């Protein structure tokens, strides 16, 4: 329970109609979830406008309405507050309603195209191993201490984020690590949060169905660092050509990590094999269980963050050396008979797919074939589809194009888009099999002993979305079943 006037602190108001001393028992942006005593905030979404549901919210018992323009009819017992930006207002209101939880622990945000989940998850695992109670908000799951809570989006809405952070403070969490997506920055879902630090992994072609241009995508990501307070730290990948640009206007203390040049947190890969990474981290040699150059960057980002949080470097490296990454990120299994290596990875952008395939090719010791099973999501950025197809062919001996989450698109048309950008050499390397199960089965059917099969695009997801329905589908589960079925 909180007083409306207190909740509205730091929100830019245009007009007030009613009593600001009203007690509010919950905040809602979905009119269907409104209960008596709630405050409903009307947000203009990408698919619907909350202003059209103000009447529904009042009928359900809302005693306060926050909106960008007032409805024609005002209920005499309801307080109406007109604001400049409802989406931004929600963040600040939730921040105050839940008693500013992000100020009561150290909140670290991780943003970038690839690596967000792995970096956030590794930070959670590391600080847990260091003896702290921690929280995690990621694509794969949400964790409060040891309790697992289902996750549905990269970043939940602002009310949910503050509720989660509040619950973390209640159980004594000292740290919270959170993926910060470009959508959440653009939609003000992180407005009002007090970040102690921010981490930039990399940026590449993604989400252009939402942001329209790559420059806009970069600008939105950069906004996260522009808004960090002077008390925070900001860590960026110096080897990414936009790594310095990301931090150029931040008030936070700047740090960089790199494999290629002098940086605050410098890494050098000494050996990269199926047994893990042997690396120099600044002046210390360490063996990590994780594999691939992309994970070397992830590990440096995590190491740098821990040092900025004043942890002992030797203890940090000791704990990091035994950790594994996030579910669905370069998870591999070796078949019992033919010793075929099957790898499941979330790579769903051209850059991520290229990184994973480069890592796989570095692991090859002889004449093993690399077979890639890959698809592209429906109702998403179409421009990356031909790029995904070409990358799969460039770095594989054989590529099998298949369905990912077609959503409301015809999967055959998605496959046509993937095929459309192939050069002459690539056209000789690919086949298209619409059914994902059959595509994975085909990959293992043509594989010979010792070959490497990458199943890309879905990673940790346990479903396939077709025409609005989510059907159970787990790449790792299917891979193991096919291995057994084909006696591989």
């Amino acid at each position: 329970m909180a007083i409306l006037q207190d909740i509205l602190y730091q929100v830019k108001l245009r007009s007030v109609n009613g009593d600001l001393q009203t007690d509010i028992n919950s905040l809602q942006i979905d009119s269907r979830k409104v209960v008596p005593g709630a405050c409903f905030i009307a947000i203009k979404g990408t698919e619907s406008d909350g202003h059209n549901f103000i009447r529904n919210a009042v009928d359900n018992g809302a005693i306060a309405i926050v909106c960008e323009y007032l409805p024609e009819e005002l209920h005499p017992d309801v307080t109406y507050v007109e604001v400049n930006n409802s989406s931004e207002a929600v963040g600040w209101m939730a921040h105050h309603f839940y008693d500013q939880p992000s100020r009561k622990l150290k909140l670290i945000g991780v943003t970038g195209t690839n690596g967000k989940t792995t970096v956030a998850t590794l930070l959670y695992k590391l600080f847990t191993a260091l003896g702290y109670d921690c929280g995690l908000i990621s694509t794969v799951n949400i964790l409060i201490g040891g309790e697992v809570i289902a996750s549905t989006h990269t970043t939940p809405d602002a009310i949910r984020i503050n509720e989660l952070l509040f619950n973390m403070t209640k159980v004594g969490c000292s740290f919270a690590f959170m993926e910060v997506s470009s959508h959440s920055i653009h939609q003000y879902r992180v407005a009002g949060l007090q970040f102690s630090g921010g981490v930039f992994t990399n940026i590449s072609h993604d989400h252009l169905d939402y942001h329209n241009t790559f420059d806009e995508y970069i600008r939105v990501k950069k906004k996260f660092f522009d808004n960090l307070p002077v008390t925070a730290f900001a860590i960026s990948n110096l080897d990414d050509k936009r790594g310095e640009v990301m931090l150029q206007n931040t008030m936070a203390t700047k740090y960089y990590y790199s494999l290629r040049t002098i940086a605050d947190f410098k890494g050098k890969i000494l050996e990269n094999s199926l047994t893990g990474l042997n690396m120099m981290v600044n002046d210390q040699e360490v063996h990590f269980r994780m594999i691939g150059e992309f994970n070397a960057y992830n590990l440096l980002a995590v190491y740098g963050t821990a040092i900025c949080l004043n942890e002992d470097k030797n203890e940090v490296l000791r704990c990091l050396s035994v950790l594994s990454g996030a579910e669905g990120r370069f998870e591999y299994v070796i078949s019992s008979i033919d010793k075929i290596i099957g790898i499941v990875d979330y790579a769903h952008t051209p850059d991520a797919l290229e990184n994973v395939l480069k890592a796989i090719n570095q692991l090859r010791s002889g004449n093993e074939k690399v077979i890639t099973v890959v698809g592209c999501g429906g109702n998403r950025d179409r421009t990356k589809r031909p790029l995904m197809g070409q990358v799969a062919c460039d770095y594989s001996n054989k590529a099998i194009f298949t369905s990912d989450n077609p959503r409301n698109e015809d999967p055959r048309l998605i496959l046509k888009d993937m095929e459309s950008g192939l050069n002459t050499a690539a056209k000789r390397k690919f086949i298209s099999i619409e059914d994902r199960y059959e595509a994975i089965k085909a990959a293992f059917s043509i594989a010979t002993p010792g070959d490497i099969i990458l199943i890309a695009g879905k990673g940790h997801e346990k479903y396939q979305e077709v025409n609005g329905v989510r059907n159970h589908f787990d790449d790792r589960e299917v891979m193991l079943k096919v291995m057994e079925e084909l006696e591989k």
Side-chain angles (χ1 to χ4, degrees):
M1 188 79 73
I3 297 171
L4 181 57
Q5 183 171 333
D6 295 340
I7 300 170
L8 289 168
Y9 177 60
Q10 294 175 287
V11 176
K12 296 168 186 172
L13 309 183
R14 287 215 301 265
S15 70
V16 176
N17 192 302
D19 184 8
L20 287 180
Q21 296 304 309
T22 302
D23 283 330
I24 302 299
N25 62 21
S26 71
L27 303 178
Q28 298 295 343
I29 56 174
D30 185 338
S31 62
R32 295 167 296 185
K33 295 180 180 178
V34 168
V35 295
C39 173
F40 173 70
I41 304 103
I43 292 177
K44 293 177 181 176
T46 53
E47 296 180 3
S48 64
D49 185 349
H51 292 77
N52 297 329
F53 301 95
I54 289 175
R55 177 64 182 271
N56 300 55
V58 172
D59 289 345
N60 287 339
I63 56 172
I65 301 292
V66 173
C67 53
E68 292 178 16
Y69 56 88
L70 296 174
E72 290 181 10
E73 184 181 334
L74 303 184
H75 193 287
D77 299 326
V78 175
T79 300
Y80 294 85
V81 180
E82 202 176 7
V83 298
N84 288 341
N85 186 319
S86 294
S87 296
E88 186 176 9
V90 175
W92 286 106
M93 292 174 71
H95 175 65
H96 294 300
F97 182 83
Y98 285 102
D99 198 21
Q100 306 179 34
S102 58
R103 293 178 180 271
K104 297 178 179 177
L105 44 63
K106 290 187 182 297
L107 175 63
I108 310 300
V110 183
T111 195
T113 304
N114 305 311
K116 293 189 297 293
T117 300
T118 297
V119 170
T121 303
L122 280 175
L123 281 167
Y124 172 83
K125 290 182 175 182
L126 170 63
F127 276 77
T128 300
L130 289 169
Y132 297 101
D133 288 322
C134 304
L136 172 69
I137 302 174
S138 85
T139 310
V140 176
N141 55 29
I142 294 169
L143 297 168
I144 299 178
E147 184 186 356
V148 180
I149 298 167
S151 175
T152 55
H153 300 286
T154 306
T155 313
D157 66 64
I159 298 170
R160 180 66 172 148
I161 291 170
N162 280 277
E163 181 187 15
L164 289 167
L165 293 173
F166 174 72
N167 289 336
M168 290 175 193
T169 62
K170 280 204 302 184
V171 298
C173 290
S174 306
F175 297 92
F177 306 102
M178 183 172 88
E179 289 185 49
V180 180
S181 67
S182 57
H183 290 66
S184 71
I185 300 166
H186 187 255
Q187 295 169 9
Y188 297 96
R189 284 185 249 160
V190 293
L193 296 180
Q194 179 81 17
F195 285 94
S196 297
V199 182
F200 172 69
T201 57
N202 51 65
I203 198 160
S204 64
H205 195 288
D206 199 16
H207 299 310
L208 299 196
D209 55 313
Y210 181 85
H211 296 292
N212 296 320
T213 68
F214 190 47
D215 284 345
E216 171 66 7
Y217 179 45
I218 293 168
R219 188 192 67 77
V220 170
K221 289 283 190 190
K222 185 176 175 297
K223 185 180 175 183
F224 170 68
F225 295 97
D226 292 350
N227 291 335
L228 288 177
V230 69
T231 53
F233 62 84
I235 300 177
S236 183
N237 180 354
L238 194 55
D239 295 345
D240 187 284
K241 59 184 178 181
R242 278 127 185 141
E244 288 185 279
V245 172
M246 281 290 155
L247 305 192
Q248 67 182 9
N249 296 326
T250 188
M251 294 186 295
T253 306
K254 302 176 188 179
Y255 298 92
Y256 294 94
Y257 61 95
S258 170
L259 289 175
R260 314 243 185 269
T261 189
I262 297 170
D264 301 286
F265 310 110
K266 175 73 170 71
K268 181 181 179 182
I269 297 175
L270 304 176
E271 186 182 358
N272 179 22
S273 69
L274 272 175
T275 61
L277 279 164
N278 210 40
M279 279 177 66
M280 291 296 296
V281 177
N282 285 353
D283 57 352
Q284 197 158 336
E285 184 175 340
V286 192
H287 182 271
F288 299 101
R289 290 175 56 184
M290 299 174 69
I291 297 166
E293 184 182 83
F294 59 96
N295 273 324
Y297 281 107
N298 294 334
L299 287 161
L300 282 176
V302 172
Y303 172 75
T305 303
I307 299 305
C308 288
L309 290 168
N310 299 314
E311 295 302 313
D312 177 75
K313 70 173 185 177
N314 293 322
E315 190 64 8
V316 167
L317 290 173
R318 184 190 69 78
C319 292
L320 269 181
S321 69
V322 297
L323 294 182
S324 56
E327 182 188 2
R329 270 60 174 179
F330 214 87
E331 275 193 285
Y332 71 94
V333 174
I334 302 175
S335 70
S336 57
I337 301 171
D338 287 344
K339 306 302 178 188
I340 294 167
I341 301 169
I343 300 168
V344 171
D345 193 90
Y346 187 54
H348 63 288
T349 66
D351 183 60
L353 185 62
E354 182 177 338
N355 286 340
V356 171
L357 283 168
K358 279 182 176 178
I360 289 170
N361 278 288
Q362 288 168 1
L363 298 174
R364 296 169 76 179
S365 57
N367 298 315
E368 312 97 323
K369 295 194 302 294
V370 176
I371 303 167
T372 298
V373 180
V374 64
C376 290
N379 305 116
R380 296 293 186 269
D381 182 6
R382 289 185 62 184
T383 62
K384 72 180 181 183
R385 292 173 185 173
L387 302 176
M388 293 283 284
Q390 186 64 47
V391 166
C393 293
D394 283 345
Y395 294 93
S396 311
N397 299 94
K398 192 76 174 177
I400 301 175
F401 300 166
T402 189
S403 288
D404 190 298
N405 290 318
R407 299 185 175 88
N408 295 314
E409 277 195 73
D410 184 339
R412 291 169 296 183
L413 297 180
I414 298 174
L415 293 174
K416 290 292 183 188
D417 283 345
M418 292 182 70
E419 296 164 13
S420 67
L422 300 182
N423 60 30
T424 304
K427 287 177 180 176
R428 292 194 290 267
K429 286 185 173 183
F430 91 97
I431 56 172
S432 288
I433 300 175
E434 184 182 327
D435 185 283
R436 193 173 181 88
Y437 184 96
E438 293 301 326
I440 295 171
K441 190 172 181 178
F444 280 92
S445 296
I446 62 176
T448 54
D451 285 349
I452 304 170
I453 296 172
L454 170 66
I455 305 169
K458 289 176 62 59
H460 64 282
E461 293 177 349
K462 303 291 193 296
Y463 62 85
Q464 189 171 40
E465 188 174 334
V466 184
N467 294 323
V469 178
R470 289 190 172 189
N471 305 297
H472 178 75
F473 197 100
D474 181 339
D475 280 351
R476 191 174 187 278
E477 187 180 288
V478 170
M479 177 176 69
L480 293 171
K481 184 178 178 182
V482 165
M483 281 180 178
E484 186 178 349
E485 210 173 279
L486 297 176
E487 297 182 342
K488 290 287 186 174

